[in-house]
Amino acid sequence: MLKALAITNEDILHQVKLSCKIPEIIEQIIARKAIENAVAEAGIKVETEELQKAADQMRLINQLLNADDTWAWLEKHHLSLDDFEEIVYTNLLAGKLAQHLFGDKIEPYFFQNQLDYAGVVMYEVVLDDEDVAMELFYAVKEGEMSFHDVARQYIQDVELRRKGGYLGMVHRKDLKAEISAAVFAAKPPQLIKPVVTAKGVHLILVEEIIQPELNEKLRTNIISNLFSQWLNQQIAEISK
């Protein structure tokens, strides 16, 4: 058994090659340079106070509550303090660039795509047999059994069965088209007729329809998605 093992930079690079990570790393390098070029063109600057605040946030996210924690984290990731500052600086620049490019496009994008952000609170049981699904549908409608009874008897997944088939709030864009059409035509609370998809026959209880609201969380989500699309376009163009 080896008591000491020397690992060189060449060993690390060789392992990166063997793990087939080179294309992914090249894309990350291209993305970083694309951000740097766009930032320079836009004349975006970072103030000292902004940098300090971003560094504090990064420490908080990584639970680096004191100097010892920070140094241990840096050592674990083979980073210097300058490397840490560069990571913070790059992330801050990316955020400011995203705001510069898309800050005024969030509301138009939301209103053009607001149906995608509508949500539904729902319960679901997926069955293999349409006839069985219809029988259960009418049994629940007529009060012969509850939806919870159906979930307890027919859901195989233990955790989902314990929750009675509760899926929580699901966005419209995350539902299959045939399910989305049926669900958003419902008048909650309502058990809708079984819907057939490639996955099976869906027995769904619609508890609540949630209309989209452009809150801070959704603003962050939209600008992040728009920036990711822009970045992917830059990578694709440079990689040609």
Side-chain angles (χ1 to χ4, degrees), residues 6-151:
I7 298 177
T8 66
N9 290 337
E10 288 74 16
D11 291 329
I12 295 172
L13 179 58
H14 186 58
Q15 185 58 43
V16 169
K17 290 181 179 179
L18 295 180
S19 62
C20 302
K21 295 292 186 181
I22 292 293
E24 179 182 334
I25 292 174
I26 289 175
E27 284 193 359
Q28 292 172 355
I29 294 171
I30 293 173
R32 179 165 53 82
K33 291 186 177 296
I35 290 171
E36 290 172 354
N37 290 338
V39 163
E41 289 178 5
I44 295 173
K45 304 295 182 182
V46 172
E47 301 296 333
T48 302
E49 289 184 4
E50 293 178 310
L51 191 60
Q52 184 59 55
K53 184 178 179 181
D56 291 341
Q57 289 176 336
M58 184 168 176
R59 291 190 186 93
L60 186 61
I61 290 171
N62 290 282
Q63 297 185 332
L64 309 179
L65 305 180
N66 53 52
D68 290 340
D69 291 340
T70 301
W71 286 114
W73 186 85
L74 291 173
E75 184 176 356
K76 175 184 177 181
H77 294 281
H78 299 273
L79 297 170
S80 67
L81 189 57
D82 287 342
D83 293 329
F84 178 82
E85 291 178 353
E86 183 178 355
I87 293 171
V88 173
Y89 183 74
T90 301
N91 290 342
L92 184 56
L93 282 181
K96 295 191 69 148
L97 178 61
Q99 189 63 42
H100 171 77
L101 293 174
F102 303 109
D104 60 349
K105 296 178 174 61
I106 296 174
E107 290 189 8
Y109 182 88
F110 169 73
F111 288 115
Q112 289 171 10
N113 300 276
Q114 60 182 313
L115 286 180
D116 289 340
Y117 295 103
V120 56
V121 178
M122 57 185 276
Y123 296 75
E124 179 184 64
V125 176
V126 182
L127 301 137
D128 297 325
D129 191 302
E130 188 172 2
D131 291 335
V132 172
M134 287 301 299
E135 289 177 9
L136 293 171
F137 169 75
Y138 285 112
V140 174
K141 289 282 286 184
E142 294 169 10
E144 296 174 3
M145 62 191 308
S146 68
F147 191 90
H148 185 77
D149 293 332
V150 176

